[in-house]
Amino acid sequence: MAEEKTPNTEAIKEAVEKSNKFVDWIVEVLRSKNRTTKLLLLDVLLFTAFNPVFFPKILELFGIKQLPNHYTLYFWLVIGAVFVAAVVAAWRARPKDKPLRDLSESRAIKGLLPYTKDDAALFARLQREHDLTECLQAINDTSFRFGVLSGESGAGKSSFLQAGLWAEFEERKLRCVYVKFSDLDPFESVKRACLKHLPLPDDIADTADFLTLLDTAARQDASPIVLLFDQFEQFFVHRKRKKDREPFVQALARWFIEMQSSPVKILLCIRGDFLDRLNELQKAMRYSLSPAQSFRLERFEPDQATEVFCFLAEKESLEYDRKFISEMTRQELADTEDGLISPVDIQVLAWMIAGQPVRDGRAFNRTTFQKLGGVDGLLERYLTRALAVRETEARRQAAIKVLLALTDLERNTRAGALNVEALRQKLGGDINDAEMKEAVAWLARSDVRLISPSSESEEEKFELAHERLIPALRRLAGKELTETDRADQLLDRRANEWLGNGRHSRYLFSWSELRLINKHRRFVTWGKERQAKEELLAVSQRRFRLRYAAVGLAILLAVTGWIGWNSNAWQTYLIKRDLRDYGNSLKDDQALTVIAQAFAYAGDSQFALQVVERIKEQISYDLSKARALGAVAKSYVKLGDKEKASGLLVEAMKTAESIRDGFDKNSELTDIVESYAKLGETTKDGRLLSQALKAAAGRITSDFALIAIAESYAKLGDKERASRLLSEALKMDHSAHALRAIAESYAKLGDKEKASGLLSEALKTAEGMSDDFSNADALCAIAESYAKLGDKEKASRLLSEALKTVEGMSDDSSKADALRAIAESYAKLGDKEKASGLLSEALKTVEGMSNYSFKADALRAIAESYAKLGDKEKASRLLSEALKTVERNRADSFNANLHAGLSVSNSKADTLRALTASYAKFSESSNDRTLYDKTFSFIEGLGSDDDRDKILESILSSKLAVADVGRLRALTSHYSSEAGKAKALALILMAVSHPELIGKEKESEDDKDK
């Protein structure tokens, strides 16, 4: 039996891994923006799949024996065309930027390098006079021993120390020692600087410590010695542990405490984001800085930056446009938060402009500025442009890796000055020595200046030109390094830092870092610290789970709070709270009346009656008091609260009887009687109707009051008494509409013969009217009444007669309104075709109207009539036209209204009120949120609170609006007075509390108007 071969699992695994890498590579190519690689990949795939040797074998599987004619020719043409396209893509993608002009001889424009003491004359013109004077005065003071100069990266601190303070001290013949801190031992840095700048004996050069050096220098000469410690943040960057910093900190503390008579003064310069680290030093010195010992170097104001640009341009003999520079510094260079400009941004922009070839424009003007593409990402563009001219991708990568080696990306600082050997170690063999040295030499060139030689020792060292390059370098490095490389480097570095700092939470991963590492977890190199790395990842993930839980809880609480705040219940509570304040403080009788009504509707009778007492106390005018009491009583009538309504009606009746003006007195008494009648009908209490009847006897002359009482009796089943009251109403003087109303009441009682007779009498009265519009309106109303009695033939004849009357009308507005009314009457008779024709005729009449308010109102009314006929599309279109009309040609509308003797604002407000009501009605019937949203916009732009009230009342007629209390409450912000706002809030509370009563009230008022 042959031995069975077992599959080689390692070979399978290796094959799968290679396939996976190949698939990942294809995906990476497809997702990249390198068109050349994509085209070459396509070319290889086409060649592999469709070559004349392999492709025929595939076709044979499908029964095809022969290739098409000239296939081989077409194949090579396609392969060649794709290859040529790849070459063209590579040609077009080649770097187009040329290196900047060599500015090594320029002393005014430094780019990323600081000004030195040799540039003192130039620096004096760079808008630092005030800062320099303040600092010099403080240091020269006899009490000054120690101070701090701080500022953000790019503020020009090194230039200030060297070209400002150092140069000024030498000018004044004072001893000054400039010390630049780096990764070098701080004692060694200070010692070298002291030996270089102070005349010290040779015998102490090798043996003297820090304090001995200072003491020796002081003994030689009693004049002050100023030590300028530049880039002191490097002391903390390169000595992460406190025990490593302690020797130098203690030395400074001993100098400050034990050598108080020493003439040595120290000014320490540090980056602003490291300023709090000096707390360690000040604690050791047992000393706190005063304002006179702490200096802050701020960025430039726009005017200062403008002056610097102009000076640099003049110094370099470049053209400039001062007006453009001023505009550019404010709008482009200035920080969006504080409006300040960084000096390093000025230098880089100036460097780029000055370095342009002459033919490309070398001027500080808009043309050159636009060629550079503005200032967004200026440093990144500066860096990218410099690196783009590297001849090959390998050389470009070498330059980037050298820059990264000179950068501490974790802390956004320089990594210090490194020699070639230190660079080689940091690069870890990524590039060979020849490539590294070439990259260093190129980066240090005078026309590049991305790194600068260190002058702290005789040994050749290099450092990053400026820390402001680091964010740009970070972004660029993120694009150049593969994600796997970055994940690997990040995990290694952070694990070491985490372990070296006692597993402090400060060194846990951020969310983006975790995402990067998890994405490439299969490919990272774990090494001997695998357990620590996995633990670090687990702790970081645990922290973020807790944070997510906390954030989720916070979001949940916030959403719950937001929902609660915007809920109708809470918004209603806020409305009540505000109204209580108004009810206790306002003196406006109308506002107080509506507030009392609102609380009655809301079920808070105690506060409602409390407001009523305030009304009675502060209103002395009988008419106003009677109206207020009657209005509140009417609210209780609608609610069916017999006790409170009766009491208020009695008071209102007594007050109304004291009114002197007969018309006002009759009007108020009529309203009170109608309220009594309504209360009796609501509460099914005939005694209240008797009281109403008693109140009406001898006091009022309104037939409508008796009709109201009669109809209430009829609804309670007392038809005999109702009939007697209608007979009494007939004895009064009445109009055609009053006769029609009495007739309809008789019809409801079942006495159609009496009703028909009264309609005949009403018809005679209508025919005697001299006003055509009133005549037509009365005929329509009577016709509808005949229709209700079942006599449609008579109704149709009357409508025809009304049409004849309309033909003689000269006023377009009245004619259109009459045609619309007749059309609606025909619709009620069932003749929709006739109704539609009349509405079309009414529209033609409207087109000739010159008064825009009348025209808009007519369009709105016709739109409602079309809606009643079922043509909602036509209705919606007419509503939109009405809205455009009311806003069009305000001047013409003003003149037209003025000529008509109407108030422009009132006319517009009335039209808008009617429009709002129509929009609200349509939005409710169609559930159209667009129309609903539109109703809220009508309240804006009106001149008075009374006009706004009209709009608000129309909005409140919509059930959609009443269910949106928060939005209604927001409308009150448009009101100009506290009284107006109070009335608006009260109207909203009434509608929200009893929306069904608001709707009935609206219908009742419309019927009464008819």
Side-chain angles (χ1 to χ4, degrees):
M1 182 176 179
E3 183 179 339
E4 292 185 4
K5 293 184 179 180
T6 58
N8 189 335
T9 56
E10 289 298 324
I12 294 174
K13 182 179 179 182
E14 184 178 353
V16 170
E17 288 179 353
K18 287 182 178 179
S19 300
N20 189 49
K21 288 181 180 178
F22 179 69
V23 171
D24 287 343
W25 176 78
I26 291 178
V27 172
E28 186 178 342
V29 170
L30 294 176
R31 292 179 62 183
S32 72
K33 296 181 180 179
N34 192 324
R35 294 183 180 179
T36 303
T37 308
K38 290 181 180 179
L39 287 170
L40 289 175
L41 175 61
L42 175 63
D43 213 24
V44 170
L45 292 175
L46 289 174
F47 181 84
T48 303
F50 298 100
N51 69 77
V53 177
F54 174 74
F55 192 54
K57 297 178 180 179
I58 300 296
L59 293 179
E60 287 179 5
L61 299 175
F62 297 94
I64 302 174
K65 302 293 185 182
Q66 189 177 359
L67 289 173
N69 294 331
H70 308 297
Y71 176 83
T72 303
L73 174 63
Y74 295 147
F75 170 79
W76 287 111
L77 284 175
V78 171
I79 294 297
V82 175
F83 183 78
V84 170
V87 173
V88 172
W91 175 263
R92 295 185 64 182
R94 76 193 190 284
K96 298 181 181 179
D97 287 324
K98 298 180 179 180
L100 295 175
R101 193 171 58 91
D102 189 348
L103 297 177
S104 58
E105 299 301 319
S106 171
R107 294 188 60 190
I109 299 176
K110 293 290 186 178
L112 295 173
L113 300 182
Y115 289 93
T116 66
K117 67 175 180 177
D118 296 330
D119 303 313
L122 292 171
F123 188 78
R125 300 285 303 277
L126 298 182
Q127 304 297 309
R128 290 299 191 192
E129 304 93 335
H130 176 75
D131 297 314
L132 193 56
T133 301
E134 181 185 6
C135 201
L136 285 169
Q137 286 177 350
I139 294 174
N140 284 329
D141 190 275
T142 55
S143 62
F144 182 93
R145 295 190 64 220
F146 178 76
V148 174
L149 172 69
S150 65
E152 66 178 52
S153 180
K157 300 183 293 300
S158 293
S159 297
F160 185 80
L161 289 182
Q162 295 183 71
L165 293 177
W166 190 5
E168 188 65 30
F169 286 135
E170 287 205 348
E171 179 74 19
R172 300 183 183 189
K173 307 299 182 185
L174 298 176
R175 292 184 292 174
C176 181
V177 178
Y178 173 78
V179 184
K180 183 178 179 181
F181 279 74
S182 64
D183 59 332
L184 196 65
D185 182 79
F187 289 110
E188 186 65 20
S189 295
V190 175
K191 182 178 180 179
R192 290 182 182 183
C194 288
L195 292 174
K196 183 178 180 179
H197 300 296
L198 296 176
L200 296 169
D202 294 335
D203 57 345
I204 70 165
D206 296 326
T207 58
D209 60 10
F210 174 63
L211 295 180
T212 304
L213 279 175
L214 297 184
D215 185 58
T216 303
R219 290 178 185 278
Q220 285 187 323
D221 189 343
S223 62
I225 303 173
V226 181
L227 270 64
L228 303 176
F229 286 179
D230 194 10
Q231 296 184 20
F232 196 72
E233 65 273 4
Q234 295 291 322
F235 173 67
F236 295 100
V237 169
H238 296 291
R239 285 148 194 86
K240 298 179 177 64
R241 300 186 180 188
K242 188 174 182 180
K243 66 178 183 179
D244 295 333
R245 299 190 295 268
E246 191 170 359
F248 190 69
V249 170
Q250 291 301 322
L252 285 177
R254 285 177 56 200
W255 159 76
F256 188 79
I257 297 170
E258 299 175 9
M259 301 175 64
Q260 296 190 9
S261 60
S262 172
V264 175
K265 303 182 179 187
I266 296 178
L267 179 66
L268 187 151
C269 180
I270 192 168
R271 218 168 73 180
D273 52 343
F274 279 82
L275 191 59
D276 62 323
R277 303 294 296 275
L278 292 181
N279 185 49
E280 177 184 341
L281 180 58
Q282 291 181 230
K283 280 185 177 179
M285 296 167 63
R286 290 177 285 180
Y287 181 72
S288 296
L289 294 173
S290 69
Q293 294 158 339
S294 180
F295 311 99
R296 174 79 178 179
L297 199 62
E298 298 289 355
R299 292 175 294 165
F300 289 131
E301 296 284 348
D303 290 339
Q304 292 177 307
T306 301
E307 293 300 324
V308 172
F309 271 120
C310 293
F311 168 71
L312 295 177
E314 290 173 358
K315 198 67 181 175
E316 294 296 324
S317 302
L318 299 174
E319 295 180 9
Y320 67 91
D321 180 348
R322 180 182 287 273
K323 182 178 179 182
F324 162 73
I325 291 174
S326 178
E327 176 185 329
M328 183 263 295
T329 55
R330 284 173 167 79
Q331 298 181 3
E332 301 289 343
L333 278 182
D335 190 287
T336 55
E337 293 184 1
D338 56 17
L340 301 179
I341 298 102
S342 175
V344 76
D345 288 345
I346 295 175
Q347 283 290 334
V348 170
L349 182 57
W351 177 267
M352 294 181 72
I353 290 174
Q356 296 297 307
V358 175
R359 66 177 180 275
D360 291 339
R362 294 175 56 225
F364 288 85
N365 56 30
R366 190 177 302 278
T367 303
T368 305
F369 180 76
Q370 289 174 340
K371 284 183 180 180
L372 291 174
V375 296
D376 290 336
L378 185 61
L379 285 166
E380 185 174 355
R381 193 163 57 252
Y382 174 79
L383 182 60
T384 304
R385 179 172 182 173
L387 293 172
V389 300
R390 297 285 281 165
E391 294 83 355
T392 64
E393 182 65 20
R395 286 194 165 192
R396 186 165 176 258
Q397 288 290 335
I400 291 174
K401 288 176 179 179
V402 169
L403 290 172
L404 289 172
L406 293 171
T407 306
D408 185 343
L409 291 173
E410 181 66 25
R411 293 171 178 79
N412 281 333
T413 60
R414 295 183 179 102
L418 303 180
N419 58 23
V420 173
E421 180 58 32
L423 273 173
R424 183 184 296 112
Q425 291 178 3
K426 286 203 71 174
L427 289 170
D430 283 353
I431 55 177
N432 59 46
D433 283 359
E435 290 176 331
M436 180 187 70
K437 290 177 181 178
E438 188 278 332
V440 168
W442 183 84
L443 290 167
R445 276 171 47 175
S446 60
D447 59 341
V448 180
R449 293 191 185 185
L450 290 175
I451 67 174
S452 59
S454 174
S455 59
E456 64 186 20
S457 66
E458 295 180 0
E459 185 182 11
E460 186 179 39
K461 291 186 176 182
F462 301 91
E463 64 179 351
L464 196 68
H466 204 286
E467 287 176 340
R468 289 277 291 181
L469 275 174
I470 294 174
L473 181 59
R474 179 189 290 277
R475 289 191 292 270
L476 189 62
K479 297 172 186 174
E480 300 301 333
L481 296 175
T482 66
E483 286 191 341
T484 303
D485 289 338
R486 286 192 288 129
D488 214 358
Q489 292 176 12
L490 175 64
L491 185 57
D492 279 339
R493 184 180 71 251
R494 193 62 62 77
N496 289 328
E497 291 172 343
W498 185 59
L499 292 172
N501 288 273
R503 302 173 183 260
H504 196 281
S505 60
R506 176 184 175 188
Y507 297 95
L508 296 179
F509 292 112
S510 66
W511 180 84
S512 58
E513 291 171 338
L514 266 179
R515 184 171 176 270
L516 174 65
I517 293 173
N518 286 328
K519 181 179 178 182
H520 302 280
R521 190 163 183 162
R522 292 179 300 165
F523 307 107
V524 298
T525 305
W526 294 100
K528 62 181 180 179
E529 299 292 347
R530 181 184 184 100
Q531 184 177 352
K533 291 177 180 178
E534 289 180 340
E535 185 180 350
L536 173 60
L537 286 170
V539 173
S540 298
Q541 288 170 341
R542 191 183 310 124
R543 180 179 68 169
F544 276 101
R545 281 195 292 269
L546 291 174
R547 287 185 178 179
Y548 291 151
V551 170
L553 179 60
I555 292 174
L556 179 62
L557 292 174
V559 170
T560 304
W562 182 82
I563 293 173
W565 176 269
N566 290 283
S567 66
N568 287 346
W570 179 254
Q571 292 294 319
T572 303
Y573 164 77
L574 294 176
I575 290 174
K576 289 180 180 179
R577 182 200 63 185
D578 293 342
L579 285 177
R580 286 183 186 279
D581 293 338
Y582 285 129
N584 291 321
S585 60
L586 284 178
K587 295 184 178 180
D588 184 284
D589 55 310
Q590 292 183 356
L592 289 174
T593 301
V594 185
I595 290 172
Q597 288 180 282
F599 277 98
Y601 271 71
D604 191 346
S605 296
Q606 183 178 356
F607 189 76
L609 295 176
Q610 183 179 326
V611 176
V612 169
E613 292 301 317
R614 283 203 67 211
I615 293 173
K616 290 192 290 185
E617 289 174 5
Q618 69 181 38
I619 300 178
S620 57
Y621 186 47
D622 289 335
L623 177 60
S624 298
K625 186 183 292 186
R627 284 177 177 173
L629 293 171
V632 180
K634 191 178 293 185
S635 298
Y636 280 112
V637 168
K638 291 173 185 173
L639 294 171
D641 191 332
K642 182 169 66 175
E643 182 181 350
K644 293 183 178 63
S646 298
L648 288 170
L649 286 174
V650 169
E651 289 190 62
M653 180 77 76
K654 292 178 181 178
T655 307
E657 287 176 348
S658 303
I659 299 173
R660 296 179 180 179
D661 184 84
F663 177 81
D664 289 338
K665 181 177 182 178
N666 181 62
S667 176
E668 289 307 310
L669 287 172
T670 300
D671 283 345
I672 294 169
V673 169
E674 289 182 358
S675 295
Y676 264 120
K678 190 67 177 175
L679 180 62
E681 179 184 328
T682 304
T683 60
K684 310 296 183 183
D685 190 343
R687 290 175 300 174
L688 289 173
L689 293 177
S690 299
Q691 290 180 22
L693 191 60
K694 183 179 180 181
R699 287 190 175 92
I700 56 176
T701 59
S702 170
D703 43 11
F704 284 103
L706 291 176
I707 293 172
I709 300 172
E711 290 196 352
S712 296
Y713 269 120
K715 289 178 181 178
L716 291 180
D718 194 343
K719 294 186 178 182
E720 183 179 348
R721 185 168 292 185
S723 181
R724 285 203 305 270
L725 288 172
L726 290 176
S727 298
E728 288 185 34
L730 279 173
K731 296 176 184 178
M732 299 180 179
D733 294 331
H734 35 65
S735 62
H737 283 289
L739 288 169
R740 182 186 66 83
I742 297 172
E744 288 197 359
S745 295
Y746 269 114
K748 290 174 184 177
L749 292 177
D751 193 344
K752 291 188 177 182
E753 185 177 348
K754 183 72 172 179
S756 181
L758 287 172
L759 285 178
S760 298
E761 189 176 342
L763 186 58
K764 292 177 183 176
T765 305
E767 290 170 349
M769 294 178 177
S770 58
D771 178 38
D772 288 340
F773 177 78
S774 299
N775 187 345
D777 184 52
L779 290 173
C780 285
I782 296 168
E784 289 183 19
S785 296
Y786 270 114
K788 290 177 182 178
L789 291 177
D791 194 346
K792 291 189 177 182
E793 184 179 348
K794 179 75 173 179
S796 183
R797 284 202 304 272
L798 287 175
L799 290 177
S800 298
E801 190 175 336
L803 276 174
K804 293 177 183 177
T805 305
V806 170
E807 291 173 0
M809 291 184 182
S810 58
D811 181 66
D812 287 339
S813 177
S814 299
K815 185 175 182 179
D817 198 32
L819 286 170
R820 181 195 58 78
I822 296 170
E824 286 198 9
S825 296
Y826 269 112
K828 289 176 182 177
L829 292 179
D831 193 346
K832 291 189 177 182
E833 184 177 349
K834 181 72 172 179
S836 182
L838 288 173
L839 288 177
S840 298
E841 189 176 340
L843 273 178
K844 293 177 183 177
T845 305
V846 169
E847 291 173 1
M849 294 171 64
S850 58
N851 186 300
Y852 287 98
S853 290
F854 289 169
K855 184 175 183 178
D857 194 55
L859 287 170
R860 176 206 56 79
I862 295 170
E864 288 198 359
S865 297
Y866 269 113
K868 291 175 183 177
L869 289 178
D871 192 346
K872 292 189 176 181
E873 183 179 348
K874 180 84 170 178
S876 180
R877 194 163 61 249
L878 288 175
L879 269 186
S880 299
E881 190 177 340
L883 182 58
K884 292 176 183 176
T885 303
V886 81
E887 296 294 344
R888 190 185 304 144
N889 298 332
R890 293 185 181 182
D892 292 345
S893 179
F894 176 83
N895 294 331
N897 284 320
L898 194 64
H899 180 70
L902 297 170
S903 162
V904 176
S905 61
N906 285 343
S907 177
K908 179 179 178 181
D910 288 341
T911 306
L912 283 175
R913 177 200 60 77
L915 268 175
T916 307
S918 299
Y919 268 95
K921 189 184 298 181
F922 286 173
S923 67
E924 187 174 335
S925 62
S926 61
N927 200 28
D928 189 334
R929 302 293 299 187
T930 304
L931 295 177
Y932 164 66
D933 292 337
K934 192 69 181 175
T935 61
F936 284 83
S937 65
F938 291 125
I939 208 165
E940 300 172 4
L942 293 174
S944 71
D945 287 347
D946 289 340
D947 291 341
R948 295 184 185 98
D949 281 344
K950 295 175 183 177
I951 304 297
L952 180 60
E953 288 173 0
S954 295
I955 293 173
L956 292 174
S957 65
S958 167
K959 292 178 182 177
L960 291 174
V962 173
D964 199 351
V965 184
R967 194 168 183 181
L968 289 173
R969 182 169 170 264
L971 283 179
T972 60
S973 63
H974 296 286
Y975 281 74
S976 57
S977 67
E978 292 300 302
K981 185 176 181 179
K983 286 171 64 179
L985 288 171
L987 289 172
I988 294 169
L989 181 57
M990 291 166 66
V992 170
S993 301
H994 285 282
E996 74 286 354
L997 295 180
I998 299 297
K1000 289 181 180 178
E1001 180 182 8
K1002 189 71 179 172
E1003 291 173 7
S1004 176
E1005 289 178 356
D1006 291 343
D1007 291 342
K1008 190 172 180 180
D1009 290 339
K1010 291 177 183 179

